[in-house]
Amino acid sequence: MGNSKSHPEQEFSSRFLPGEQAEVNRLFDALSSENLGSSTSHRSFSLQALKGHVGDALPPEMVTRLFEGMQRVDGSRKAKGPSEHISQKQFTVSMSHLLKGTAEEKSLVILNMISASGGPVKARDVYKFTEDLVGSVVHVLNYRRELRGWSQKPPPGSLSRVQLLAAQLCSEMKLQGGGKLLGPQWLDCDCDEAVLEDWVFRAHHVATFLSLIIHQGFLLLCSTLELATLVPERQVDPQREFASLLDVLSVIYINSHLPQERRLRWRLLFATELHGNSFAQLCGRITHKGPCLVLLEDCDGHVFGGFASCSWEVKPQFQGDNRCFLFSVSPSMAVYTCTGYNDHYMYLNQGRQTIPNGLGMGGQHSYFGLWIDVDFGKGHSKAKPTCTTYGSPQLSAQEDFQFQKLEVWAVGDAPKAEPARNRSILDVDPEARALLKVSGRGCHSEGFREVPDEQ
């Protein structure tokens, strides 16, 4: 009560629930077991002990970065001089910052993982750290067998997705003076703690990835990691081999932009590799299947696509809502959300003579942000300078492109099947129904069909 004292360890330990703190303490005890002869207040562990515990779960470079980040932080939240061991206070504070801390606290650890001085660092050093972080995510997911069906590597001949995602994350950084890390000319710019704090706040993947490598690399508080929403389950016919255009990193990136309830599983609906090069086959396999992702690779190696927030329907009107977006995977990773300029989110049409036949997202007729023509294998991506609906640039290498590989993935749970009932073609084609009425011909079968039972 009146004579109780507040210790830094207690302040930071209180961020963990009692059971969580006990697990943190047990891990420290295991790491510091080589110093069992020391008094409790002086127990610590070495880099060698940490590498021995982690084993091959993380790349050695990342284990060293984590160790150095921990040894330079103490309870006063200031950088501390290097030592050869990590004390319990340093360990507890670091785990608190990385797993439960604010953007400011996380940025402090990141700064110490990058630089021994704790002062400003060059943007190129931040990029190298980000590349190591992203690479460690793939490494640990593969080691723990948590890829959930996805490949750890992109298709042969593709650009490194580790570098692409690292570049995307760094592009969200606002440098001193307001510039962004969008090219080599910015690599020598200084990044202080304020810049890193703002970056961690903006680029939420950085904090997520740091938590992931602690949870999965250290095997600490794994039950608190929502891995299922980070890496969706890949559902493909097990009887047929299929190599997706996507790897686990591009899946993680795209999945993070989906509505929360759509992140648990992806079901393959269509792939040219399995179902052939047919627009009719595409329409037949993707309509009325719920929200889904369409993506393709053009003949120049650009990989891009779009998220359809509603079930596709073949009709001459635009459909969808402002949850739709376009995205690029290669040669750069990016997501382009709705601008609010118009509601031309989704379009799917077939068999009309006066309006375009094909699948489109964004823009307008004959000028889509993404267009797949009914003449399958052809398409366009038009944006001068950007797509009006999504603000996206030209996604393909050439404005009018050709492709051989296309995939469609339904995301989330499958929609509930409608009750079976006798249906007329007029039920699914309102334009044909209206044409009959204009010509003076009624729907004579309307009164003779049974009314479906109420469920």
Side-chain angles (χ1 to χ4, degrees):
M1 299 291 289
N3 61 353
S4 63
K5 296 182 179 180
S6 175
H7 297 286
E9 297 96 322
Q10 293 174 341
E11 177 188 344
F12 286 97
S13 297
S14 66
R15 298 192 180 183
F16 295 112
L17 297 173
E20 294 173 340
Q21 183 58 51
E23 190 173 336
V24 172
N25 292 342
R26 283 195 297 271
L27 177 55
F28 178 80
D29 290 342
L31 291 170
S32 60
S33 60
E34 64 182 35
N35 291 332
L36 285 177
S38 305
S39 64
T40 303
S41 60
H42 292 93
R43 287 179 60 190
S44 60
F45 64 85
S46 64
L47 175 59
Q48 184 178 359
L50 183 61
K51 286 185 173 181
H53 172 78
V54 173
D56 295 327
L58 291 173
E61 299 81 6
M62 181 52 64
V63 180
T64 301
R65 281 191 185 273
L66 288 165
F67 184 86
E68 291 175 347
M70 287 187 281
Q71 75 178 163
R72 295 171 186 149
V73 174
D74 64 10
S76 65
R77 297 172 62 223
K78 295 180 180 179
K80 189 175 183 178
S83 64
E84 296 181 357
H85 289 77
I86 302 295
S87 69
Q88 184 164 14
K89 181 171 73 172
Q90 290 173 315
F91 182 68
T92 301
V93 170
S94 299
M95 293 302 99
S96 175
H97 284 358
L98 290 174
L99 299 180
K100 300 217 174 223
T102 63
E104 179 185 4
E105 291 164 340
K106 287 180 170 66
S107 66
L108 174 69
V109 180
I110 291 172
L111 190 60
N112 291 328
M113 291 173 70
I114 296 173
S115 169
S117 66
V121 295
K122 297 297 183 183
R124 68 174 68 254
D125 297 322
V126 179
Y127 177 79
K128 181 61 173 70
F129 162 80
T130 310
E131 207 172 51
D132 288 350
L133 177 64
V134 174
S136 296
V137 169
V138 180
H139 184 105
V140 74
L141 288 175
N142 181 56
Y143 183 82
R144 300 295 184 200
R145 299 184 179 180
E146 293 286 2
L147 294 173
R148 296 171 67 80
W150 301 100
S151 171
Q152 64 170 328
K153 295 181 180 179
S158 301
L159 295 174
S160 166
R161 301 283 166 84
V162 170
Q163 293 177 344
L164 292 180
L165 184 51
Q168 194 286 322
L169 295 180
C170 287
S171 73
E172 298 187 45
M173 181 184 299
K174 279 192 174 182
L175 301 170
Q176 294 172 347
K180 286 196 169 185
L181 186 55
L182 295 175
Q185 68 272 24
W186 297 103
L187 291 176
D188 287 322
C189 291
D190 287 334
C191 302
D192 59 15
E193 190 176 340
V195 170
L196 291 179
E197 179 186 346
D198 180 73
W199 177 54
V200 172
F201 180 79
R202 290 173 180 277
H204 64 91
H205 285 96
V206 176
T208 300
F209 290 168
L210 280 168
S211 295
L212 174 66
I213 63 174
I214 294 296
H215 289 306
Q216 292 292 313
F218 289 9
L219 291 180
L220 177 65
L221 303 176
C222 294
S223 60
T224 64
L225 175 65
E226 296 182 358
L227 192 58
T229 59
L230 183 69
V231 187
E233 178 188 356
R234 178 183 187 265
Q235 296 183 344
V236 178
D237 183 354
Q239 304 301 319
R240 307 184 71 176
E241 290 187 9
F242 171 68
S244 174
L245 293 169
L246 300 173
D247 67 324
V248 69
L249 283 179
S250 50
V251 168
I252 288 173
Y253 178 68
I254 296 169
N255 198 57
S256 69
H257 291 85
L258 298 179
Q260 192 75 32
E261 70 277 9
R262 296 289 167 189
R263 299 181 184 180
L264 292 178
R265 56 191 58 85
W266 291 16
R267 296 171 291 111
L268 184 67
L269 297 180
F270 175 87
T272 48
E273 182 181 324
L274 301 179
H275 307 114
N277 298 300
S278 164
F279 191 82
Q281 186 73 251
L282 171 68
C283 291
R285 300 190 73 90
I286 72 172
T287 51
H288 307 289
K289 297 295 174 62
C292 58
L293 291 155
V294 178
L295 68 135
L296 60 88
E297 180 182 43
D298 69 18
C299 289
D300 292 293
H302 287 214
V303 179
F304 53 92
F307 167 61
S309 60
C310 308
S311 285
W312 286 101
E313 294 182 43
V314 178
K315 61 181 184 181
Q317 297 86 20
F318 283 95
Q319 51 197 292
D321 58 37
N322 61 7
R323 295 173 298 171
C324 296
F325 59 79
L326 293 180
F327 61 87
S328 171
V329 172
S330 183
S332 63
M333 279 196 196
V335 163
Y336 306 98
T337 55
C338 297
T339 63
Y341 183 83
N342 58 38
D343 60 358
H344 298 173
Y345 307 116
M346 302 161 49
Y347 176 88
L348 181 61
N349 199 29
Q350 186 181 21
R352 308 282 175 175
Q353 293 184 347
T354 57
I355 52 178
N357 294 307
L359 182 153
M361 294 189 71
Q364 60 190 30
H365 289 173
S366 303
Y367 206 89
F368 285 90
L370 169 61
W371 174 253
I372 298 167
D373 199 81
V374 69
D375 184 5
F376 203 75
K378 297 180 180 179
H380 71 243
S381 177
K382 298 185 178 182
K384 292 183 179 179
T386 59
C387 170
T388 55
T389 310
Y390 297 109
S392 54
Q394 179 179 306
L395 301 174
S396 50
Q398 308 295 327
E399 189 175 80
D400 295 295
F401 62 82
Q402 296 185 346
F403 67 91
Q404 294 181 339
K405 295 180 180 180
L406 183 144
E407 304 170 12
V408 182
W409 296 85
V411 293
D413 294 329
K416 294 181 180 178
E418 293 183 5
R421 61 188 179 103
N422 295 326
R423 305 185 77 189
S424 163
I425 185 61
L426 301 178
D427 293 326
V428 295
D429 194 339
E431 193 172 87
R433 186 186 184 93
L435 190 61
L436 271 181
K437 290 185 177 181
V438 169
S439 64
R441 299 181 182 183
C443 302
H444 299 296
S445 65
E446 209 164 20
F448 296 95
R449 284 184 287 159
E450 294 182 2
V451 178
D453 295 333
E454 295 293 332
Q455 298 297 313

